[in-house]
Amino acid sequence: MTRLLHRTIGSDLPRAVSGQGITITDAEGRAYIDGSGGAAVSCLGHNDAEVVAAMKAQMDRICYAHTSFFTTDVAESLAERLTAHAPDPLNHLYMVSGGSEAVEAALKMARQYFVEIGQPQRRHIIARRQSYHGNTLGALATGGNAMRRVQFQPILPETHHVSPVYAYRDQRVGESPEAYAARLADELEAKIRDLGEDQVMAFVAEPVVGATLGAVPAVADYFQRVRAICDRYGVLLILDEVMCGMGRTGSLFAFEQEGIVPDLVTVAKGLGGGFQPVGGVLLSDRIFEAFRDGSGLFQHGHTYLAHPIASAAADKVVEILTRPGLMAQVRHLGERLQSGLEARLGQSPFVGDIRGRGLFRGIEIVADRDSKTPFDPALKTHAKIKKAAMARGLLSYPMGGTIDGIHGDHVLLAPPYICTEAEIDQIADRISDAILAVTADVAKGA
């Protein structure tokens, strides 16, 4: 009997004993291609020699120093490196231990910013339905995942939600991408006006929606319209790149492909590549200057922020991610994965949409492609696909509740950036075999 409280009590999980490159091996000797990077974390695969060496070198120096007393060379180096690759005015980094912490910190930064500049009445947060921003209370309240929120609703802070960008289901027949983007932007503007033009402090969004929707990018000029609306009403734009950032979509920051710059951006997962728990918030000059010229501090903190070993790991990961050619490789492999999935699954009556950017791809599963009707959630089609993929030696990230938190199934793929073309083809083969086998059985009532 295990004394560890697992995510699902009573689950019989294999024990991971080693990882190398894109594979994880369990205690029985079975090897799995890590086709989802865990949860879009292991961007450089497992046991990268350079990252491990950087961590070991830091261990030989100092493993921990509390940030109320000291800074460290590796934390300073990471901040310099990451901000050097971020567009102006994102010139400052606040470090944390993971994605939920990063979102919490960003929300508190937004609130403190308005207190510092004399607008303490601004308190409302607007986000989007079918989003995911983390599991701590502030992050969970901000996210729009109904299934995750429901039992904790009585203790969640007040937040407000508008429609997601979900063209597969919500773009109207005959509606252009530009018109769809304009309609969604108008909805956001109406929500700001409804709450009070000087009452909203932040709009929070994922540039490419990850776990809850399955790698759904924005359309047309949506984010440019959002940026203009936020500027018009003095609202801070927080972009959550915990899952879609750090090269996952083919650029170091996903928002680069939208032609905008946020006021705050959260990063984690790929920032440390799974080698250490680490996250961060990049903040703009005006937010930093409000803190500096006001109270002189950010009223927040965690015991392990800017942890030296985590900083060393992240600094080396970012150095590798920003080497010439790697982002082009992510884009190339992403196109190969997309075309491979389309070739294998494009004619299936149970695959409604294949989407994404870079090595961040989603496959939406349906009971009927023409009507887009989902499978009955009681069938747990996504869970069956996960099991079938593992039996074929592939780790994937299937989720349920795609449409509204209850109905709908999708599979998320987020393989390491170090994959070869042949390995990308293997991922496409194995997940397609799993999806085709499971959907055929489910459709027959198996």
Side-chain angles (χ1 to χ4, degrees):
M1 176 182 175
T2 180
R3 296 297 179 182
L4 186 63
L5 176 58
H6 291 281
R7 287 172 177 250
T8 302
I9 296 171
S11 59
D12 185 20
L13 296 172
R15 295 191 180 221
V17 296
S18 66
Q20 187 65 47
I22 70 164
T23 63
I24 292 177
T25 301
D26 70 16
E28 303 300 319
R30 292 185 291 263
Y32 307 85
I33 295 176
D34 193 356
S36 61
V41 173
S42 300
C43 57
L44 298 178
H46 301 275
N47 203 28
D48 180 274
E50 290 184 74
V51 181
V52 172
M55 292 167 59
K56 287 180 178 177
Q58 183 57 43
M59 289 179 195
D60 289 338
R61 298 186 189 101
I62 186 169
C63 290
Y64 177 71
H66 196 277
T67 51
S68 67
F69 301 103
F70 298 101
T71 187
T72 59
D73 288 342
V74 282
E76 297 290 343
S77 177
L78 173 61
E80 287 286 345
R81 190 184 308 280
L82 196 54
T83 58
H85 289 284
D88 284 333
L90 294 172
N91 293 313
H92 306 274
L93 173 68
Y94 182 82
M95 288 186 66
V96 292
S97 299
S100 295
E101 282 187 17
V103 172
E104 293 282 343
L107 296 173
K108 291 178 77 173
M109 284 182 187
R111 171 60 186 167
Q112 182 172 331
Y113 168 75
F114 286 114
V115 172
E116 299 276 16
I117 67 169
Q119 297 183 34
Q121 79 283 357
R122 288 189 182 265
R123 62 185 182 87
H124 292 301
I125 299 164
I126 303 174
R128 302 186 298 186
R129 292 186 291 277
Q130 288 306 95
S131 60
Y132 180 65
H133 297 295
N135 262 331
T136 51
L137 290 178
L140 186 62
T142 301
N145 185 306
M147 180 270 292
R148 294 176 188 261
R149 289 166 52 97
V150 61
Q151 69 172 322
F152 303 107
Q153 188 66 53
I155 61 172
L156 296 181
E158 179 188 25
T159 52
H160 307 273
H161 295 87
V162 293
S163 297
V165 180
Y166 190 9
Y168 171 64
R169 290 192 177 274
D170 294 344
Q171 186 173 342
R172 296 167 182 166
V173 175
E175 186 176 40
S176 69
E178 293 77 12
Y180 179 43
R183 175 161 61 87
L184 294 175
D186 288 345
E187 181 185 350
L188 172 60
E189 185 168 18
K191 176 63 74 172
I192 292 172
R193 288 177 172 174
D194 179 58
L195 293 170
E197 295 182 12
D198 66 345
Q199 301 292 311
V200 178
M201 71 179 196
F203 176 62
V204 186
E206 300 163 89
V208 181
V209 183
T212 301
L213 275 183
V216 176
V219 298
D221 57 354
Y222 170 80
F223 274 109
Q224 293 182 26
R225 291 176 180 273
V226 165
R227 176 75 271 183
I229 290 168
C230 288
D231 290 342
R232 187 176 308 138
Y233 294 97
V235 174
L236 294 181
L237 176 58
I238 302 174
L239 293 185
D240 179 353
E241 297 208 359
V242 167
M243 184 171 263
C244 67
M246 293 295 99
R248 177 55 59 190
T249 65
S251 54
L252 187 64
F253 298 100
F255 68 77
E256 295 176 62
Q257 299 175 48
E258 306 298 341
I260 61 156
V261 180
D263 300 293
L264 296 155
V265 58
T266 61
V267 291
K269 294 189 184 288
L271 175 64
F275 293 94
Q276 282 283 283
V278 64
V281 183
L282 287 105
L283 57 149
S284 65
D285 289 335
R286 66 169 169 146
I287 296 174
F288 171 79
E289 290 162 4
F291 295 170
R292 181 196 64 193
D293 300 339
S295 62
L297 54 83
F298 173 39
Q299 188 62 52
H300 188 61
H302 291 284
T303 299
Y304 294 109
L305 68 88
H307 190 278
I309 301 173
S311 298
D315 191 36
K316 178 54 69 173
V317 167
V318 174
E319 190 264 305
I320 294 171
L321 295 182
T322 53
R323 289 175 183 170
L326 186 57
M327 290 300 98
Q329 177 174 310
V330 171
R331 294 191 294 272
H332 168 69
L333 293 176
E335 290 168 1
R336 188 178 185 93
L337 181 56
Q338 179 76 20
S339 61
L341 293 171
E342 289 174 350
R344 294 162 176 80
L345 296 172
Q347 300 306 309
S348 169
F350 307 117
V351 174
D353 193 29
I354 303 170
R355 60 220 178 197
R357 287 182 184 166
L359 285 173
F360 200 42
R361 300 287 163 172
I363 307 159
E364 185 157 344
I365 310 301
V366 293
D368 180 79
R369 186 170 61 182
D370 292 336
S371 66
K372 303 181 183 179
T373 303
F375 281 108
D376 183 340
L379 296 171
K380 298 188 181 300
T381 303
H382 61 282
K384 293 175 181 177
I385 291 171
K386 179 180 180 180
K387 183 177 180 180
M390 286 189 73
R392 290 163 171 79
L394 177 69
L395 305 178
S396 59
Y397 197 145
M399 291 285 288
T402 312
I403 301 170
D404 55 9
I406 300 173
H407 302 90
D409 301 274
H410 69 261
V411 178
L412 191 66
L413 296 173
Y417 308 163
I418 61 171
C419 287
T420 65
E421 290 184 348
E423 289 165 340
I424 288 293
D425 293 344
Q426 279 186 294
I427 292 170
D429 283 338
R430 294 183 188 186
I431 194 61
S432 298
D433 286 349
I435 289 171
L436 293 173
V438 168
T439 53
D441 285 346
V442 170
K444 289 188 296 185

